[in-house]
Amino acid sequence: MNSFIFDIWLHVGREGRCFSYQDGNNLDIDLGDVVTVRLKGQRMQGLVVKKMKKNITSTHQNLNNFSLNNVETLVQKAAITKEWREWLEEIALDLYVSDFQMLKTALPPGWLGRSKLSNRPKKLWWVKLSSNNYEGKISSRQIELKKNLLLNGGGKWQKDLEAEGFSSVLIRNFVSVGCGEREKRLYLFNSFDNEESNDKKMLKIEEPQPLTLEQKSAKEKYESLPDGSALLLWGVTGSGKTEVYLQIAAHELSESRHCLILTPEIGLVPQLVDRFRKRFGLNVFEYHSNCSTKEKIETWKRALDNTKPSVFIGTRSAIFLPLSSLGLIVLDEEHDSSFKQESPMPCYHARELAIHRAKKTGAKVILGTATPSLNVWKNLKPNGNVVVAKLTKRISNRKLPTVSVVDMREELALGNRSLISRYLKKQLLSIKESGNQAIVLVPRRGYSSFLSCRSCGEVVQCPHCDIALTVHRSKEGNQWLRCHWCDFRSNISDKCGECGSNAFKPFGTGTQRVMDHLERELEGISLLRFDRDTTRGRDGHRLLLERFANGDADILVGTQMLSKGMDLPKVTLAVVLAADGLLYRPDLMATEETLQLFMQLAGRAGRGEQPGKVVVQTYCPDHPVILHLIDGSYEEFLKKEEKTRKEASMVPYSRACLLRFSGESSELASHGAFDVLSKIKDACSQKGWKLVGPAPSLVERVAGKSRWQLLLYGPELSHIPLPYGPELWKDLPKGVTLSIDPDPLQL
């Protein structure tokens, strides 16, 4: 019988709890193992976090008098390492969360808990073309479905079709008219080993591209960096930053070190995976929220294997992969705010964790972008410790796109009340004639931003949030209302709930409405929509972009996702349809983030053989963001922004921390906020920190809960004067939650 007692963390309650077990089955249990145990008769998977001799005299000595349950099975040996857990405990302190809360965030969801993963095959729907060769009349969308099935040998899993945008209703109708058939078939999960054996023949490894002088210089600067250092790869769009990543990754892999490539959006993962797999074969793995639980756990296991150095590509959560032999961490589009997690706690920034982890492990960090964040720019040497390498020219010396600004005030004065100006209409119509493509940026999803009564001015609000409901419309013309904060949905009423009038009118412009408008205005032009509503599922982004790249549409209409890192050689025109909605957001970072967005969008144009052009429609053509976009002087903008923020002691030339409170009522939430204020105000004053609030949040009510906030700000490099542990939480009113966001991006 094994002479040790093991504390095993189980996912019970909000943060989990530890329970003691023994290794009566001699499974050779040790720290960091994932095991199966029973708790009140329920089989659960947990993590071994402590190991003690049975005869020790401590708080556990009374356990010697009890009969402990045995660990039943060993699920994964050494799922986490000692070094990885120590790093996690360090950052847990900085983020004001418990060690267990940090573990819960870092580990693959579903690995620990009651649901035991099964390797048994499931039966799923298989859709195939009908054997009777149906020739009747079907809708255009059903024709697309038929073509899709033909291209895949006549059949495909329904889940894959749905991921590509074919709804379950469409598929059922396709079957009911006799054009297709459905049947349940066994679906076997494709492990990486199966994937490798099936796809190995299909992959042809490409050779490295010759580097420009600037790319060579960047690579040499990286190689000369001391271990644990960071390099800002500041390259204009289309300058070949990805090729630099690839060649540096090749060097790290040759030295038997793993590489971790982080990207801000899931939509950017497919292109990066494709690029890296062309260079390194199938030794490239994904880790993000669109991966299934099994896929995440398989990738986690790969990360533990130091015998075969690999490339791991994912979103911010991939920073937690347990890569002990880590050589390179890349943050592509480092300026992007999606690298910051705002909710739930821990509120971490992947860039800061990457730099912290690199210093601890000796890895090196590359921060790649065309528009560096002010936070990184201010830390360049000699003022900080980040080395910079610049790529100022596009590959093959292709020219950067020209920028044209359309003053929509003049269009209105001439009687043009259309969404698009006369100049833009002419540019879009010329796209098809030239065989090129365009992308159109719309700030919002949906059909219209809100619905208003023209009689009394009442705006239809979400019943659970202080936010207007967004109008959505299907291809068949059916309309409904949806809240993008809590996902509440409602039918559109015939009458105003306030005055009884039926004079409803949608205001604002969403992606759906722009699509409808462009279809009416641009005869013969084909369009695709690219936003979160049309790119759901594991491969939704990849498949939609493949359709566009293959020429299925002339224009791609989308939200801010359009601007982020996509390489589409046929795109020669990039359009900002309504710039003003982004220029005047009530946000400290609005100016910086809007210029970054516009310059990134501009960079999607002219990446192929044809030169690119950018058209911006605005009622404020003299806004500083528009002027900097025209002249392309991003560094000049940073210098002016630095001066403004320094003089006002604003972030990042000071430090901030935001406390967020949520409760069933405004009274409860505010009571909790003022209670915490009384606990911290003396310590803040002593450390030179100032307090703003408590006050209601910008959107005070979300999902039926009232929200208040308390802002702390103080000296730039100082520690946040908040107590660690449960002190701030213990006296909160019942039902009130508190979230601590160190260094918030949005106030």
Side-chain angles (χ1 to χ4, degrees):
M1 177 73 69
N2 193 296
S3 59
F4 290 98
I5 295 172
F6 299 91
D7 273 4
I8 297 174
W9 180 63
L10 298 177
H11 196 171
V12 176
R14 183 181 171 189
E15 293 191 11
R17 286 177 59 191
C18 282
F19 297 87
S20 297
Y21 292 83
Q22 64 183 1
D23 186 13
N25 295 321
N26 295 318
L27 300 173
D28 192 26
I29 302 300
D30 212 336
L31 293 173
D33 293 349
V34 174
V35 297
T36 302
V37 297
R38 285 194 181 272
L39 182 67
K40 295 183 178 179
Q42 176 75 49
R43 277 172 68 90
M44 300 188 73
Q45 290 185 180
L47 182 72
V48 181
V49 294
K50 196 169 185 180
K51 179 179 179 181
M52 302 156 288
K53 282 274 190 184
K54 277 189 177 178
N55 58 359
I56 61 170
T57 55
S58 69
T59 56
H60 286 80
Q61 73 177 36
N62 61 333
L63 293 177
N64 297 310
N65 302 320
F66 290 92
S67 176
L68 295 173
N69 288 337
N70 291 326
V71 174
E72 293 194 353
T73 57
L74 174 62
V75 177
Q76 173 63 42
K77 190 72 179 168
I80 64 172
T81 63
K82 180 174 178 287
E83 294 76 20
W84 181 86
R85 188 174 173 193
E86 286 174 353
W87 171 65
L88 222 59
E89 288 171 354
E90 285 181 25
I91 59 178
L93 273 176
D94 294 336
L95 298 172
Y96 293 91
V97 294
S98 68
D99 294 348
F100 290 135
Q101 203 171 347
M102 202 71 228
L103 270 174
K104 180 181 170 183
T105 300
L107 289 168
W111 203 355
L112 305 181
R114 295 185 183 182
S115 56
K116 188 178 183 298
L117 294 169
S118 171
N119 291 318
R120 290 180 297 177
K122 296 179 180 178
K123 278 195 172 185
L124 300 179
W125 284 112
W126 175 262
V127 182
K128 62 180 181 179
L129 292 172
S130 176
S131 54
N132 62 11
N133 295 319
Y134 179 80
E135 297 295 338
K137 188 176 181 181
I138 55 177
S139 69
S140 59
R141 192 70 175 134
Q142 288 174 331
I143 291 171
E144 289 181 32
L145 175 55
K146 186 175 181 179
K147 287 179 180 177
N148 190 300
L149 292 173
L150 283 168
L151 288 171
N152 287 276
K156 205 168 187 178
W157 295 109
Q158 180 168 322
K159 71 178 189 65
D160 294 333
L161 290 170
E162 289 179 8
E164 294 174 36
F166 297 102
S167 70
S168 58
V169 174
L170 176 77
I171 294 168
R172 285 198 299 270
N173 290 339
F174 182 77
V175 172
S176 66
V177 299
C179 203
E181 299 173 6
R182 282 200 317 167
E183 62 183 21
K184 286 275 190 177
R185 289 189 182 181
L186 286 177
Y187 178 81
L188 296 172
F189 170 69
N190 284 328
S191 69
F192 291 114
D193 294 331
N194 290 335
E195 195 175 303
E196 189 167 343
S197 62
N198 291 335
D199 295 347
K200 191 175 284 186
K201 295 177 183 178
M202 297 170 60
L203 281 175
K204 183 179 179 182
I205 305 301
E206 69 173 14
E207 293 296 319
Q209 302 296 313
L211 297 178
T212 65
L213 290 176
E214 287 184 330
Q215 286 174 315
K216 285 179 183 175
S217 174
K219 188 167 176 275
E220 288 165 1
K221 279 190 177 181
Y222 172 86
E223 290 168 352
S224 66
L225 287 177
D227 291 346
S229 301
L231 173 77
L232 171 63
L233 185 59
W234 186 348
V236 298
T237 52
S239 59
K241 292 187 288 294
T242 306
E243 184 61 34
V244 176
Y245 303 157
L246 286 162
Q247 296 205 19
I248 289 174
H251 170 74
E252 294 293 343
L253 292 172
S254 71
E255 297 292 324
S256 298
R257 292 189 288 262
H258 291 306
C259 300
L260 178 59
I261 317 296
L262 301 180
T263 183
E265 293 273 2
I266 292 174
L268 300 180
V269 171
Q271 286 199 79
L272 277 173
V273 168
D274 291 345
R275 287 290 303 273
F276 274 81
R277 282 190 173 172
K278 284 179 183 176
R279 193 66 58 88
F280 304 117
L282 285 161
N283 196 30
V284 177
F285 306 103
E286 298 178 50
Y287 193 87
H288 49 79
S289 60
N290 271 2
C291 295
S292 69
T293 299
K294 285 185 178 179
E295 288 168 327
K296 284 187 173 182
I297 291 172
E298 287 290 324
T299 301
W300 192 276
K301 290 177 181 178
R302 291 278 181 161
L304 292 167
D305 183 4
N306 289 326
T307 61
K308 188 175 184 182
S310 305
V311 177
F312 297 85
I313 299 176
T315 48
R316 63 177 181 244
S317 61
I319 189 62
F320 297 116
L321 284 169
L323 302 161
S324 56
S325 181
L326 181 58
L328 168 67
I329 307 174
V330 172
L331 272 83
D332 194 30
E333 313 293 355
E334 72 78 20
H335 63 276
D336 199 291
S337 60
S338 296
F339 279 123
K340 176 70 191 280
Q341 172 156 312
E342 292 187 331
S343 178
M345 291 180 72
C347 303
Y348 65 90
H349 198 304
R351 181 184 62 223
E352 305 312 315
L353 296 197
I355 291 171
H356 187 283
R357 188 171 185 181
K359 288 177 180 176
K360 192 169 181 66
T361 63
K364 298 178 185 179
V365 177
I366 297 180
L367 306 170
T369 181
T371 52
S373 61
L374 185 59
N375 203 305
V376 167
W377 182 76
K378 68 180 275 294
N379 283 312
L380 295 181
K381 286 188 173 183
N383 300 320
N385 51 16
V386 178
V387 176
V388 64
K390 291 188 178 182
L391 306 178
T392 60
K393 298 182 178 66
R394 282 186 157 185
I395 296 297
S396 302
N397 286 319
R398 296 187 182 106
K399 291 185 177 179
L400 290 166
T402 57
V403 180
S404 300
V405 177
V406 178
D407 188 341
M408 295 302 285
R409 296 173 301 182
E410 294 179 4
E411 291 290 311
L412 191 61
L414 293 170
N416 179 16
R417 298 178 182 277
S418 170
L419 287 174
I420 58 175
S421 61
R422 294 161 301 157
Y423 175 76
L424 177 56
K425 183 175 180 178
K426 183 179 177 182
Q427 295 298 316
L428 291 172
L429 285 170
S430 69
I431 282 292
K432 193 172 183 69
E433 298 169 11
S434 62
N436 295 315
Q437 293 176 308
I439 56 175
V440 177
L441 172 71
V442 182
R444 298 180 182 90
R445 297 147 58 194
Y447 186 75
S448 296
S449 55
F450 61 92
L451 189 68
S452 176
C453 174
R454 284 179 285 177
S455 296
C456 69
E458 178 73 9
V459 174
V460 182
Q461 299 276 114
C462 173
H464 310 297
C465 309
D466 285 341
I467 203 79
L469 291 172
T470 301
V471 182
H472 283 256
R473 191 165 84 163
S474 68
K475 286 190 174 182
E476 293 76 25
N478 300 319
Q479 295 193 26
W480 69 94
L481 297 168
R482 180 181 175 193
C483 176
H484 287 169
W485 288 69
C486 73
D487 205 33
F488 169 81
R489 300 178 189 220
S490 171
N491 294 324
I492 294 180
S493 174
D494 293 333
K495 293 183 179 181
C496 172
E498 191 69 20
C499 71
S501 169
N502 59 1
F504 274 130
K505 179 184 177 183
F507 284 83
T509 306
T511 47
Q512 283 180 289
R513 189 177 179 201
V514 170
M515 289 278 289
D516 289 350
H517 189 89
L518 293 179
E519 283 173 351
R520 292 195 303 269
E521 293 268 333
L522 308 172
E523 191 175 342
I525 298 286
S526 55
L527 301 104
L528 275 175
R529 180 172 149 224
F530 187 73
D531 59 23
R532 281 188 171 82
D533 296 322
T534 60
T535 55
R536 299 185 186 280
R538 166 70 188 271
D539 293 317
H541 298 86
R542 174 188 271 119
L543 295 166
L544 197 145
L545 288 175
E546 281 179 359
R547 287 178 62 195
F548 186 62
N550 291 335
D552 282 11
D554 305 305
I555 300 173
L556 187 63
V557 178
T559 51
Q560 297 182 26
M561 296 162 65
L562 275 181
S563 68
K564 299 182 180 183
M566 295 184 300
D567 190 5
L568 299 164
K570 286 187 179 180
V571 171
T572 56
L573 177 63
V575 178
V576 180
L577 200 64
D580 308 278
L582 294 166
L583 294 173
Y584 294 104
R585 291 180 294 127
D587 191 335
L588 174 68
M589 315 288 285
T591 307
E592 179 184 347
E593 289 180 354
T594 302
L595 181 57
Q596 288 168 346
L597 172 66
F598 289 174
M599 294 189 81
Q600 290 287 336
L601 182 79
R604 302 312 114 209
R607 296 170 77 96
E609 298 301 321
Q610 300 296 320
K613 181 181 292 186
V614 182
V615 176
V616 180
Q617 295 190 157
T618 178
Y619 288 90
C620 305
D622 297 324
H623 192 285
V625 166
I626 303 296
L627 298 178
H628 282 296
L629 177 64
I630 293 170
D631 62 29
S633 56
Y634 186 73
E635 191 157 17
E636 286 303 310
F637 163 77
L638 287 176
K639 290 175 181 176
K640 291 178 183 177
E641 191 75 358
E642 177 184 52
K643 185 173 184 294
T644 301
R645 294 205 203 171
K646 260 187 176 179
E647 289 174 353
S649 296
M650 292 159 63
V651 173
Y653 299 96
S654 64
R655 195 161 184 216
C657 179
L658 190 64
L659 308 188
R660 298 187 180 97
F661 301 85
S662 176
E664 295 295 332
S665 67
S666 182
E667 289 77 16
L668 276 175
S670 63
H671 185 278
F674 279 101
D675 178 66
V676 169
L677 172 66
S678 66
K679 290 182 178 181
I680 65 173
K681 61 182 180 181
D682 289 342
C684 288
S685 177
Q686 291 168 14
K687 300 290 184 181
W689 280 66
K690 296 182 180 179
L691 295 159
V692 178
S697 300
L698 186 62
V699 178
E700 185 179 350
R701 204 162 53 100
V702 171
K705 297 290 182 73
S706 291
R707 308 191 310 163
W708 277 61
Q709 64 184 42
L710 175 60
L711 176 66
L712 292 66
Y713 70 98
E716 182 182 346
L717 299 176
S718 61
H719 289 289
I720 299 170
L722 290 177
Y724 293 106
E727 174 65 23
L728 296 182
W729 281 268
K730 68 180 183 181
D731 295 323
L732 285 176
K734 186 177 180 181
V736 174
T737 61
L738 164 62
S739 172
I740 299 177
D741 186 356
D743 307 304
L745 293 186
Q746 294 187 2
L747 305 181

